[in-house]
Amino acid sequence: MKDKMLCRRMFLKSSAFFAATVLGAKSAFAKFVEGGGAPEGKLSLYNVNSNERLTVTYRNSLGEYCDEAIQALNWIFRCHLTNETTKMDLRVLEYLNRLDNSLGGDNEIHIISGYRSPAYNARLRSRSKGVAKDSLHMKGMAIDLAIPSVGLQRIRHTAIALAAGGVGYYPQSGFVHIDSGQFRTW
């Protein structure tokens, strides 16, 4: 039993290090972990489509991820049309956490869109030219969000300053898009 726990911890630490370094440029998160600790990964979320709330610590200060918390995050970010879930990309979750912390932390983040099933993405594309055919939402790599206590423009500027992925600004629709793809803005 003790060996199994040790093995799980080693796996989680190496997974976090891999996600933070190999899948992108060496991030501030990886530097924190190497230095002996990082702030906990904690998010407070409200899904505007399902009317569900979740406050969860998904990563401890040693960089160890909690499987149950990740599953809860995957559920709250699910496609609201089909209830399908996917494994959300850890990089987009870390980006969201860094964004929240940069905006003072402990904000209730409103999820406008997380994972989109192909059927839901196709439905949105039929109604709007602004929806990508191969949207990163369908890969669990994108989140459309708002934080009621923080202006959209401030969210956008903070996300751009973090330069951790894509940032889209949709003030008429009331959200900012972030994703774990290449850094770009629109």
Side-chain angles (χ1 to χ4, degrees):
M1 180 72 156
K2 189 176 181 180
D3 288 344
K4 191 174 183 178
M5 292 278 293
L6 182 60
C7 211
R8 182 174 182 268
R9 282 187 180 191
M10 288 173 52
F11 171 76
L12 290 171
K13 279 186 178 180
S14 63
S15 296
F17 183 77
F18 177 80
T21 58
V22 176
L23 294 177
K26 195 167 198 173
S27 67
F29 173 71
K31 291 176 188 170
F32 276 126
V33 171
E34 289 171 2
E40 288 181 326
K42 182 178 177 183
L43 292 168
S44 181
L45 305 167
Y46 171 68
N47 186 315
V48 300
N49 298 296
S50 66
N51 199 32
E52 295 171 313
R53 284 186 161 79
L54 173 69
T55 296
V56 65
T57 300
Y58 65 91
R59 176 185 36 77
N60 69 20
S61 62
L62 299 175
E64 299 167 331
Y65 289 90
C66 174
D67 292 334
E68 294 81 16
I70 297 295
Q71 287 175 5
L73 286 167
N74 290 339
W75 178 251
I76 201 161
F77 281 110
R78 73 188 179 279
C79 176
H80 70 271
L81 179 70
T82 65
N83 269 343
E84 289 176 54
T85 64
T86 194
K87 289 182 181 178
M88 291 299 289
D89 185 356
L90 291 176
R91 294 174 298 168
V92 78
L93 296 176
E94 292 295 352
Y95 189 5
L96 184 60
N97 181 245
R98 289 178 57 206
L99 178 61
D100 178 42
N101 288 336
S102 296
L103 293 167
D106 295 324
N107 293 295
E108 182 177 71
I109 300 164
H110 287 204
I111 304 164
I112 311 303
S113 184
Y115 170 67
R116 289 185 197 152
S117 67
Y120 183 50
N121 200 70
R123 183 177 180 183
L124 290 176
R125 274 182 56 76
S126 72
R127 296 177 180 174
S128 171
K129 294 179 183 182
V131 177
K133 181 179 180 181
D134 295 318
S135 170
L136 292 178
H137 285 278
M138 294 190 305
K139 298 176 182 177
M141 296 173 63
I143 300 167
D144 296 341
L145 66 112
I147 302 172
S149 61
V150 180
L152 287 178
Q153 208 167 41
R154 183 168 171 223
I155 296 169
R156 174 183 177 241
H157 289 299
T158 304
I160 289 170
L162 290 171
V167 181
Y169 184 51
Y170 299 90
Q172 278 77 18
S173 299
F175 67 86
V176 172
H177 165 102
I178 64 167
D179 66 55
S180 54
Q182 291 184 321
F183 177 71
R184 66 220 183 283
T185 64
W186 63 94

